[in-house]
Amino acid sequence: MKKAAIILITLTILTNICLAQKAKHTFALGDSTFLLDNKPIQLISGEMHCTRIPRAYWRDRMRAAKAMGLNTIGTYVFWNAEEPGEGQFDFTGNNDIAEFVRIAKEEGLWVILRPSPYACAEWEFGGYPWWLLKDKNLKVRSKDPKFLKYYHDYISQLGKQLSPLLVTNGGNILMVQIENEYGSYGDDKEYLDINRKIFRESGFSGLLFTCDGPSQMPRGYLPGYLPAVNGLDDPKEVKALINKYHDGKGPYYIAEWYPGWFDSWGSGHNTSNMEDDAKKLDEVLSSGISINLYMFHGGTTRGFMNGANMSRKDPYSPQTSSYDYDAPLDEAGNPAPKFYKFREVIEKHLPPGEKLPPVPAKHPTISISQIKLSKKASVFANLAQPVLAEHPLCFEDLNQGYGFVLYRTKLKNAVNGVLKIKEMRDYATVYINGQRVSILDRRLKQDSLQINAVANATLDILVENNGRINYGRYLIDNRQGITEKVTVNNDELTGWKMYKFPFKTTAGMNFTTNKNNDEGGPALFAGTFTLPKTGDTFLDMHDFGKGFVFVNGHNLGKYWHIGPQQTIYLPGCWLKKGLNSIVVFDELKNNHQNISSIDHPILDELK
């Protein structure tokens, strides 16, 4: 074949590939079904969040979704991950939502995008960035002009990342959610319409929708736009509800169906009945309703990104780092029995001639025994320059979002009485002259203790942000640390030094040899270990108190001896053949010499 002919054929192939990649589709609302290129399509979707899955595993999790029979991925986008500091946008690494969507397209999956600035999702502050709280008068989720400006700026940047990936632009994003379960919070249609306008101005053309629980839909839907329902799976009730708020027609979409649930510290591990779930899924699919499983794969809430619940009748309740959710695909990305059961159901509803790909093999796991923690850095021995103030400052006034703050003052006179921290958020260890005298836990409504101290004693209060509230009426009351004052026998203590420990990294901490003793209070314990091979593993935290773990620079999330989570998932993709590093922070227990890992999670053990 002549060279010119080869070049021509090559150019023709490349042109056809480019045209295929840019092929535009239509996606519309029919009276009873969604219409893709004017043909009915039933969306069988599963929720996954890019920030909860290591980037190296995104494609693997999507292939598992295809193997179970899903044709769509539903995904939140968390504002506080994408804009961690005011005007400081980060669409890289695990925050690269556009790449997450592109990989889904390569794997033959559509995407339903849920980028509302409010997500809930058991995520810190429901996805709002902490720095909004620096202005104590700003009201999130409202028509406050200051809030709306920040909101508009963020969605505008997000639009630049994602609007080219809309189905009408040749991408795979079918529709976009504005707000999220707004009916659980407010009833302001003007505010909802402002949401709509912001999305439109930011390039999100095509279909927009809202979602709410059945009783919340009257307050949370926006007239003229598809109202999806959460937490309802009776086909007749789903259709009747959506008909009521959508001009007597569909299509019908369950935006969140719960074949599992999240866990909270100090409460039992949640599971659901697999047989009942499978029966419900079959009923929904048989009725032609589209559905999104929340969650298909939960993953892990790493760093300090766990949220918390609180209501009028229920106390503050922070959520675990594991977001396993009893989902079909477990925290480490392996198919659970529920996966196979749902796959059987979905196979019955496949179009004629379509077959599911094989189920991926389980990921290899390893165990690591007795990693020596040879170095130690005491918090009290690593105090940098303090912030000085007459009255204690909250995290936000200290320009800190997450982690810990050590509050220190002197008790000028001898004291025998009650020390009270008014509006302490959320967990505190209290020391007098370096000796721990109490633990205060917002979950248990503890804010006071009896003290007996000599004159000129040093009072230290180490306060942890244990997760800002992510749902309900207390969402707007989310400042952290000591948010009001400290009193002893009703007299306010003044003259505070505040030492900041955001722990974005553990760099800068002064480590010394870890001696076999029990001195020092809260500390970090560091070590190294060498691996001949890598694989997923689970750090065994049974002997530890409360804290977090870094491995090779990755914050893996929190642990707490009260359970139910007793392990921390360590993805094999973050390990290296050869030398690895680990740092464990423990605010409750000392004298750690070793840590080990096992080949399975422990998520159901309360202490």
Side-chain angles (χ1 to χ4, degrees), residues 540-556:
D540 185 351
M541 308 308 299
H542 277 98
D543 294 333
F544 292 77
K546 188 177 194 300
F548 56 84
V549 181
F550 274 86
V551 171
N552 292 334
H554 297 278
N555 188 334
L556 303 181

Side-chain angles (χ1 to χ4, degrees), residues 467-498:
R468 288 184 178 87
I469 294 164
N470 57 256
Y471 182 83
R473 66 192 294 260
Y474 294 104
L475 184 74
I476 59 173
D477 184 15
N478 251 329
R479 300 188 113 203
Q480 288 289 312
I482 298 177
T483 61
E484 293 201 20
K485 61 184 178 180
V486 182
T487 60
V488 174
N489 295 332
N490 296 318
D491 294 327
E492 184 178 0
L493 297 179
T494 56
W496 291 90
K497 296 178 180 179
M498 286 149 286

Side-chain angles (χ1 to χ4, degrees), residues 45 68 91 98 108 121 135 205 252 264 267 371 376 390 410-411 443 467 477 497 534 537 584:
S45 176
M68 199 180 83
F91 297 109
D135 181 347
S205 58
Y252 308 102
S264 298
S267 299
I371 299 169
K376 177 179 177 179
E390 191 69 2
K410 289 284 188 180
L411 300 174
R443 293 180 316 122
D477 184 15
K497 296 178 180 179
T534 62
T537 192
V584 184

Side-chain angles (χ1 to χ4, degrees), residues 225-367:
Y225 292 84
L226 179 69
V229 66
N230 290 354
L232 186 66
D233 54 17
D234 181 283
K236 290 182 180 178
E237 293 180 6
V238 169
K239 291 183 177 181
L241 183 71
I242 292 177
N243 283 340
K244 183 176 180 180
Y245 297 102
H246 196 233
D247 299 326
K249 58 185 180 181
Y252 308 102
Y253 181 49
I254 302 171
E256 293 187 11
W257 176 62
Y258 306 114
W261 201 247
F262 62 88
D263 288 341
S264 298
W265 292 114
S267 299
H269 176 54
N270 285 300
T271 60
S272 68
N273 186 295
M274 178 175 65
E275 299 295 333
D276 290 346
D277 290 341
K279 182 180 178 182
K280 281 293 184 184
L281 179 60
D282 194 20
E283 291 173 358
V284 168
L285 296 182
S286 296
S287 69
I289 293 172
S290 290
I291 193 170
N292 180 50
L293 284 66
Y294 192 100
M295 301 288 298
F296 163 69
H297 172 52
T300 310
T301 308
R302 296 182 181 84
F304 303 128
M305 287 294 108
N306 69 284
N309 279 340
M310 187 171 174
S311 68
R312 289 174 180 170
K313 62 178 181 178
D314 296 318
Y316 171 81
S317 178
Q319 290 112 19
T320 61
S321 293
S322 171
Y323 205 59
D324 178 88
Y325 220 90
D326 194 35
L329 205 66
D330 69 16
E331 182 178 8
N334 294 306
K338 195 178 290 184
F339 178 101
Y340 296 95
K341 197 71 179 178
F342 289 0
R343 175 181 158 99
E344 289 176 10
V345 171
I346 295 171
E347 274 188 312
K348 292 165 50 180
H349 299 276
L350 293 176
E354 186 174 320
K355 292 185 178 180
L356 295 181
V359 177
K362 186 177 179 180
H363 302 101
T365 58
I366 60 173
S367 299

